[in-house]
């Protein structure tokens, strides 16, 4: 490659990736008007997404790796139950408090231990 163009290679790659990304986004915006979110395919995708998140949460609680694996299972399950209790108390406005409850309780256990 020519020495004068050698410094431009990364900028050309960045520009190409940017253009490709924004073209795909623009097409998505144009097609979004025609998509029916109540269709069978979107209901299926939603179900698969929720199932994957649930499986990952269960795996993280029952078979964690890293520092979370030092927390006993009964404590992890107790913290999950308390967080779910916060969530169920008023589901429409309790997602963030439930997440904060679980996070702060795990952190408190780590500090106390």
């Amino acid at each position: 490659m020519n020495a004068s163009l050698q410094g431009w290679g990364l900028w050309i790659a960045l520009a190409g990736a940017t253009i490709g990304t924004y073209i795909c986004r623009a097409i998505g915006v144009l097609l979004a008007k025609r998509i029916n979110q109540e269709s069978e395919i979107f209901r299926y995708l939603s179900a698969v997404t929720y199932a994957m998140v649930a499986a990952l949460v269960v795996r993280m609680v029952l078979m964690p790796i890293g520092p979370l694996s030092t927390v006993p299972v009964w404590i992890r399950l107790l913290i999950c139950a308390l967080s779910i209790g916060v969530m169920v108390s008023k589901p429409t406005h309790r997602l963030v408090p439930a997440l904060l409850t679980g996070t702060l309780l795990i952190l408190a256990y780590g500090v106390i231990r």
Side-chain angles (χ1 to χ4, degrees), residues 8-54:
W8 289 96
L10 292 176
W11 290 107
I12 293 171
L14 179 64
T18 303
I19 290 169
T21 298
Y22 284 111
I23 287 174
C24 290
R25 288 182 180 202
I27 291 171
V29 168
L30 293 174
L31 294 177
K33 298 173 189 173
R34 300 181 190 148
I35 294 174
N36 179 11
Q37 293 181 359
E38 300 300 321
S39 67
E40 288 295 319
I41 188 72
F42 277 100
R43 289 185 9 201
Y44 170 76
L45 290 175
S46 178
V48 169
T49 303
Y50 283 122
M52 288 176 63
V53 169

Side-chain angles (χ1 to χ4, degrees), residues 1-94:
M1 186 187 251
N2 190 350
S4 64
L5 292 178
Q6 199 169 19
W8 289 96
L10 292 176
W11 290 107
I12 293 171
L14 179 64
T18 303
I19 290 169
T21 298
Y22 284 111
I23 287 174
C24 290
R25 288 182 180 202
I27 291 171
V29 168
L30 293 174
L31 294 177
K33 298 173 189 173
R34 300 181 190 148
I35 294 174
N36 179 11
Q37 293 181 359
E38 300 300 321
S39 67
E40 288 295 319
I41 188 72
F42 277 100
R43 289 185 9 201
Y44 170 76
L45 290 175
S46 178
V48 169
T49 303
Y50 283 122
M52 288 176 63
V53 169
L56 289 172
V57 168
V58 168
R59 185 191 183 287
M60 190 170 63
V61 170
L62 296 180
M63 299 180 297
I65 57 174
L68 190 58
S69 64
T70 62
V71 179
V73 175
W74 70 272
I75 292 179
R76 291 188 302 238
L77 291 174
L78 178 65
I79 290 173
C80 285
L82 292 172
S83 297
I84 289 171
V86 169
M87 181 71 179
V88 172
S89 67
K90 193 172 183 186
T92 57
H93 301 290
R94 294 292 180 171

